[in-house]
Every structure is written in C-alpha cells, then in structure tokens.
Amino acid sequence: MASNAKNIRPGSLSSEPLDAIDEKLLAALVEDARISNKQLAELVGIAPSTALMRTRALSERGIVQGYEAKLSLSAIGRSVQALVAVRLRAHDRDQIDRFTARVPQLPAVLSTFHTSGSVDYLLHIAVGTTEDLRDWVLDNLATDPVVGHTETTLVFEHIQGNHGPLPE
C-alpha cells in the first residue's frame, strides 16, 4: 500500500485524498469487516479513539458504504445461480425507471447491472432449482411488457473478486 495520498475516483462521494492510515483501515476492514475497533487500531498502529473517528469519517465520506454478511447460497436453499441478460423493448425513460426500481427488489436478485452494448441489464440471481429458475424468468421477466428479450446463463461457480481498494 502506498504511503502517499491518493485521490478518490471521479464521481465518488468524496474528493478528499486517502492517506496511508485510511488505506490501512480500509484494507483491514475489507479483510475482516467484523474486526473489533481495538483490534483494528492495533493492526493499523493508532489509538482506538483515532480508529473509531477515522472509520466513522470514511463512512460519512461515502467511502465505506456498509457492512454485510456473506451467506452460503446453497445452505439457504438457493444453490442454482444464473446470469440473466435482459433487453428492453424500448428505451423509454419511464419504462427504464420502472424496471430499475422493481427488479433489484425481487428476492432472487443478488445484483443488477445496467449495461451498455447488446443487452440493457445483467441480473445475477439465485434460486433453489432449475425449475424455480424457469418459473422466475417466466413470472418476472417474460411476462413483463417492458422486456423484449432475455437470455439465461447458468453459473457453475461464482469466484469472488476483490471487494476493496484496487491494487496499484
């Protein structure tokens, strides 16, 4: 990790540069979001009050956007994952807004990507069985008058990438 300050990417919520302490805090939180404040402070080499203050500041600046539990999808009965490419019939703002508001809220949807290119959206979903997958696509996409075309790809394995600061 570099010790010099880096600027946040354009379009982010904060343009204040990250310093070496911020970077160490972020790296530790990405590694273990449940780390105690005391352990975080020891790991970074700062006082616990400083760690707490700086971690809160990173949240207030919009850099840390939350903490979440990662679940085993198969353990909760959602072992079938798929990527569903969706092309809308028309690119009317009202239809796009309706689709964008509705689809990410559906229980099977893990992620929604609004994309460029030959498809408008890419959905990452998880369901219990292939029959559930078929029914989900039929019930939630094929019957939606906004949707013009879908293409479903089964996911054999989902390999997570880096969720934190990008390496230099």
Side-chain angles (χ1 to χ4, degrees):
M1 213 170 284
S3 61
N4 59 342
K6 288 192 273 185
N7 289 323
I8 304 300
R9 293 176 191 263
S12 69
L13 298 177
S14 175
S15 61
E16 295 177 43
L18 293 175
D19 64 16
I21 299 295
D22 291 334
E23 290 177 356
K24 288 178 183 176
L25 288 167
L26 292 172
L29 289 169
V30 167
E31 183 69 27
D32 179 7
R34 292 183 51 145
I35 190 170
S36 73
N37 186 64
K38 181 180 178 200
Q39 292 171 314
L40 181 61
E42 288 173 4
L43 186 64
V44 175
I46 57 178
S49 59
T50 303
L52 184 61
M53 178 190 70
R54 293 192 65 149
T55 302
R56 282 185 182 158
L58 289 167
S59 294
E60 289 168 4
R61 291 168 57 193
I63 296 167
V64 174
Q65 295 182 334
Y67 304 89
E68 61 188 2
K70 291 182 186 176
L71 305 180
S72 165
L73 293 172
S74 60
I76 61 170
R78 294 172 66 185
S79 59
V80 176
Q81 293 182 61
L83 299 175
V84 183
V86 179
R87 192 175 320 132
L88 301 182
R89 286 190 193 283
H91 292 98
D92 173 83
R93 183 61 186 227
D94 290 336
Q95 291 181 358
I96 291 169
D97 289 346
R98 186 182 71 76
F99 186 87
T100 303
R102 181 181 73 86
V103 172
Q105 304 307 313
L106 296 171
V109 177
L110 301 174
S111 296
T112 302
F113 302 92
H114 189 176
T115 62
S116 66
S118 63
V119 297
D120 298 307
Y121 292 89
L122 188 60
L123 310 176
H124 179 201
I125 68 169
V127 294
T129 66
T130 55
E131 291 81 12
D132 293 338
L133 174 60
R134 178 201 59 224
D135 291 344
W136 189 91
V137 171
L138 289 173
D139 295 343
N140 294 290
L141 299 177
T143 57
D144 187 332
V146 173
V147 175
H149 177 77
T150 65
E151 184 174 323
T152 303
T153 304
L154 284 176
V155 173
F156 292 132
E157 182 180 11
H158 180 198
I159 302 164
Q160 291 285 341
N162 185 0
H163 292 288
L166 297 174
E168 291 187 25

